[in-house]
Amino acid sequence: MRRRLPKLSTLSVALALALGITAAGPASAEMKKATISQAFQSLLYLPLYVGMNEGFFEKQGLDLNKESAGSGSVALSAVISKSAQFSLHGPEWTAIAASKGAPVNTIANVVNGAAVWIAATPDFKFDSVKDLKGQKIVTGLMPTTSTSLFIKLLKENGMDASKDVEMIQVPLGTEPGPFVAGRAKVAVMYEPGLDQVVAKGMKVVVGFPKLYGAYAFSTITARNDVDPDLAQRLTNGLEMAVRFMHKNEARTVAIAQKEFPNLEPAVVEAAVKRMLADNVYPTSVDITPDALKLALETQIALGNLAAQPDYKTFVPRTYIEKAISTN
């Protein structure tokens, strides 16, 4: 949805100051238009929606239009073809494209935790990952990060996903169905599916965000020749959004419930609070070398990516540093 820049009230200026980013600078310049292509509408991408709902991009002089592509590869293609200035998805798509010569890099963080969890039925005895041996496991249909991380976890614990467990792969978002129906005692899930099954009595036995720590799960992609001023305005707005989210939990939950009206409000609330507590939603737009390396190692292990990209080339830190240092 396109929005017009509102007049800044005393309250909005005070809010911007409290968040550590002033409304001066880009916001006082002429409004610029931009399109961001997201892989899909997802609770993971809540920082983007908070930025749009709270007018943080407008405060930076950016009239931002959001489109949903249906997949990370299609969203990225929109940037490469210049039908969108930015895209939002896993950085692996950008790294793979860059390794093949595409003029793209990643400029800001949106999801900085491995947003995957393993749930089990209440009666399932779980003391360690080795307890999963011999079990049927509901997982997302490959290729997807949730299943990729699960395969990696099994390998790290001396198990082979093709021999030691029976994976029931289903389309993304449908994992709760077969799990609750009893086809398996264990499931690998994203949110909000996780809290949908928790609401039905299932328990969380493994949280990848706490297991791995900082993990560049979803980032903003742009072309190397993107308008630098446009990229800075977007990054500044995202920085304002993630700071706001960690200081204003109730309002963040309300925005999520507005963006996902077809989900149970209690499920949305639980999912957002879990991801805030687990730092899935970052406290800044920074993409650290370690967080990026960890995320891409999964893709290298699966053979999707040949090698780590050169960090200095792949992550132009100018936008990040200006955004996090502005006050």
Side-chain angles (χ1 to χ4, degrees):
M1 180 183 294
R2 296 181 182 273
R3 304 168 187 266
R4 293 185 177 180
L5 180 65
K7 293 182 179 179
L8 293 178
S9 65
T10 302
L11 179 59
S12 62
V13 171
L15 175 59
L17 289 170
L19 289 172
I21 298 178
T22 63
S28 62
E30 181 183 354
M31 288 287 286
K32 287 189 174 182
K33 295 180 182 292
T35 296
I36 183 166
S37 179
Q38 59 176 1
F40 37 75
Q41 182 82 354
S42 170
L43 264 179
L44 290 175
Y45 301 161
L46 189 54
L48 173 64
Y49 313 148
V50 169
M52 298 184 78
N53 276 271
E54 289 298 304
F56 293 139
F57 298 116
E58 294 171 339
K59 290 180 174 68
Q60 293 299 318
L62 183 62
D63 182 1
L64 187 63
N65 176 53
K66 170 173 66 72
E67 298 177 347
S68 294
S71 72
S73 59
V74 175
L76 174 61
S77 294
V79 168
I80 294 174
S81 67
K82 296 187 177 182
S83 62
Q85 288 73 39
F86 309 103
S87 59
L88 173 53
H89 44 70
E92 66 274 9
W93 294 105
T94 312
I96 292 168
S99 71
K100 296 178 180 179
V104 290
N105 50 35
T106 186
I107 65 171
N109 211 344
V110 176
V111 185
N112 196 44
V116 178
W117 293 263
I118 300 177
T121 56
D123 62 339
F124 184 78
K125 186 176 183 297
F126 183 90
D127 294 315
S128 74
V129 175
K130 295 186 184 299
D131 292 327
L132 300 178
K133 189 170 184 178
Q135 293 294 319
K136 291 181 179 180
I137 316 284
V138 175
T139 66
L141 191 66
M142 285 287 279
T144 182
T145 303
S146 59
T147 306
S148 300
L149 280 174
F150 178 61
I151 293 172
K152 181 174 183 287
L153 179 67
L154 292 178
K155 186 176 181 180
E156 291 169 348
N157 285 271
M159 287 185 280
D160 185 332
S162 65
K163 299 176 181 179
D164 294 319
V165 299
E166 181 184 340
M167 288 195 296
I168 303 172
Q169 294 192 30
V170 299
L172 294 182
T174 68
E175 298 93 336
F179 179 40
V180 173
R183 290 185 60 190
K185 287 184 173 293
V186 180
V188 182
M189 318 189 78
Y190 295 115
E191 288 284 16
L194 177 71
D195 273 289
Q196 287 177 324
V197 301
V198 167
K200 295 183 180 297
M202 304 304 180
K203 62 183 180 181
V204 179
V205 295
V206 175
F208 284 84
K210 292 182 179 179
L211 195 62
Y212 289 123
Y215 186 109
F217 198 84
S218 298
T219 59
I220 300 293
T221 290
R223 286 178 58 96
N224 300 344
D225 59 359
V226 68
D227 176 355
D229 181 54
L230 205 62
Q232 192 64 63
R233 295 182 191 211
L234 178 80
T235 308
N236 287 355
L238 281 171
E239 178 69 14
M240 294 177 75
V242 295
R243 293 184 191 181
F244 176 89
M245 290 171 67
H246 285 275
K247 294 179 180 179
N248 299 272
E249 182 183 88
R251 174 59 182 157
T252 298
V253 167
I255 291 172
Q257 290 169 335
K258 172 189 171 185
E259 291 286 333
F260 297 89
N262 294 327
L263 293 175
E264 288 291 332
V267 168
V268 174
E269 179 177 4
V272 170
K273 287 183 175 180
R274 186 187 302 276
M275 288 192 280
L276 282 170
D278 286 357
N279 285 323
V280 169
Y281 299 131
T283 55
S284 83
V285 294
D286 196 10
I287 304 171
T288 67
D290 287 345
L292 180 66
K293 181 180 179 181
L294 182 59
L296 297 184
E297 276 178 352
T298 302
Q299 302 304 319
I300 292 172
L302 293 171
N304 296 329
L305 182 65
Q308 292 280 349
D310 175 64
Y311 177 82
K312 292 182 179 178
T313 303
F314 191 63
V315 183
R317 291 193 55 82
T318 303
Y319 307 122
I320 291 172
E321 289 171 358
K322 285 184 178 179
I324 62 180
S325 66
T326 305
N327 51 49

